[in-house]
Amino acid sequence: TGGFGAQYGGRLSSVMDITTRDGNRKRHSGKVGGNPFGANLILEGPLKKESANSTSTITYLLTAKNSYLSKSSEYIYPYIDGGLPFDFFDLYGKLTASSGTGSKISVFGFRFDDQVNGYQGLNDYHWRNFGAGTNFALVTGNSALVEGSIAYSNYNITLDDLSGKEKFSSIGGLNMELVVNNFYGKNKLTYGLNMENYATDYQYYNALGIRSEQKEHTNDIAGFITYKYCTGKWLFDAGVRYIYYN
């Protein structure tokens, strides 16, 4: 939190960097779990193993989670009228091709569905989030690492009530990034480009049946350069970022 460099823009208080792991390179494996509210599954393994002729590998990773709380709650909490009408289904998959030199490329996709049916006996809520993309890391012979990614995601929420009128809100985003890291001993020069495009769509009806709607498209293009310099017990990390926002 705080103190993050020029590589990140549009942040006010913190940066969260999440990296999903690759599938198992040596063997196929899986895990199944369950509880009174839901179940989950993980499958992973190699589609192509290392061999005497090739050090490259291809792996897969597949995860799924499903809730049956709306059904089980009727027996676990019989004193709650109507039970707990909350359910979700999550699905994620990833393919990764790696070379023996450290370079790799991944392709991934996900679909998350959440719903509340018959909330207070009146409304149904549905959240749907899906996306797909690819990222890569290329190790060059001159102490440089080139990283890039392209991804699209869409998040949508709908409300179904007694009015029968369509009410929803959604946001779709396309992100592209290219980053180059050059290493000079303990020092590092990093520069790159980033582009984000978002489309939002909103429609709602109030109690009088009056419709409110709004559609927007925004673009954010940025370039940055940073240099990390180490000397003794001192570390200097300086950078600059230029942003074009439309």
Side-chain angles (χ1 to χ4, degrees):
T1 57
F4 37 85
Q7 183 173 351
Y8 301 99
R11 310 300 194 267
L12 294 178
S13 61
S14 63
V15 171
M16 182 179 293
D17 190 350
I18 299 175
T19 302
T20 58
R21 67 179 178 87
D22 300 333
N24 195 314
R25 296 187 179 187
K26 299 185 180 298
R27 62 185 178 88
H28 299 279
S29 62
K31 183 186 297 184
V32 178
N35 57 55
F37 303 144
N40 59 78
L41 169 71
I42 300 176
L43 297 174
E44 60 179 320
L47 297 177
K48 179 181 181 299
K49 295 183 179 180
E50 285 189 27
S51 64
N53 299 324
S54 175
T55 58
S56 62
T57 60
I58 300 176
T59 64
Y60 69 90
L61 175 68
L62 178 66
T63 70
K65 289 194 304 180
N66 184 52
S67 166
Y68 38 75
L69 178 61
S70 61
K71 303 294 187 300
S72 61
S73 62
E74 297 178 1
Y75 303 96
I76 300 174
Y77 308 109
Y79 51 86
I80 299 179
D81 186 21
L84 299 173
F86 309 104
D87 281 309
F88 63 82
F89 177 73
D90 299 344
L91 187 65
Y92 174 84
K94 181 180 181 181
L95 288 173
T96 303
S98 305
S99 70
T101 61
S103 300
K104 69 176 183 178
I105 183 171
S106 299
V107 179
F108 58 89
F110 62 87
R111 172 70 184 258
F112 305 145
D113 291 297
D114 300 77
Q115 58 185 353
V116 180
N117 293 320
Y119 181 71
Q120 295 183 348
L122 298 175
N123 304 322
D124 293 342
Y125 294 90
H126 302 276
W127 296 265
R128 295 180 177 88
N129 188 13
F130 65 89
T134 179
N135 54 48
F136 67 88
L138 177 62
V139 179
T140 66
N142 55 354
S143 299
L145 174 65
V146 181
E147 299 175 292
S149 64
I150 302 175
Y152 174 80
S153 64
N154 180 275
Y155 179 82
N156 182 73
I157 176 175
T158 60
L159 166 61
D160 297 326
D161 56 19
L162 298 179
S163 69
K165 298 182 182 297
E166 189 176 23
K167 303 175 181 179
F168 62 85
S169 178
S170 69
I171 179 171
L174 175 65
N175 304 340
M176 293 184 287
E177 185 177 55
L178 182 65
V179 179
V180 180
N181 299 278
N182 291 282
F183 300 91
Y184 308 98
K186 295 183 178 180
N187 306 323
K188 183 173 72 169
L189 174 67
T190 303
Y191 53 91
L193 295 172
N194 176 269
M195 189 193 80
E196 300 176 354
N197 175 270
Y198 292 101
T200 57
D201 192 2
Y202 168 79
Q203 178 175 289
Y204 186 77
Y205 290 86
N206 64 15
L208 299 178
I210 300 175
R211 184 177 67 177
S212 300
E213 62 178 348
Q214 183 177 2
K215 294 183 179 182
E216 298 288 347
H217 292 271
T218 59
N219 297 290
D220 188 326
I221 303 173
F224 71 92
I225 182 170
T226 65
Y227 188 73
K228 183 180 293 185
Y229 177 73
C230 299
T231 175
K233 296 183 179 181
W234 291 92
L235 171 64
F236 298 93
D237 192 356
V240 63
R241 182 181 184 90
Y242 178 82
I243 301 174
Y244 171 78
Y245 177 72
N246 177 23

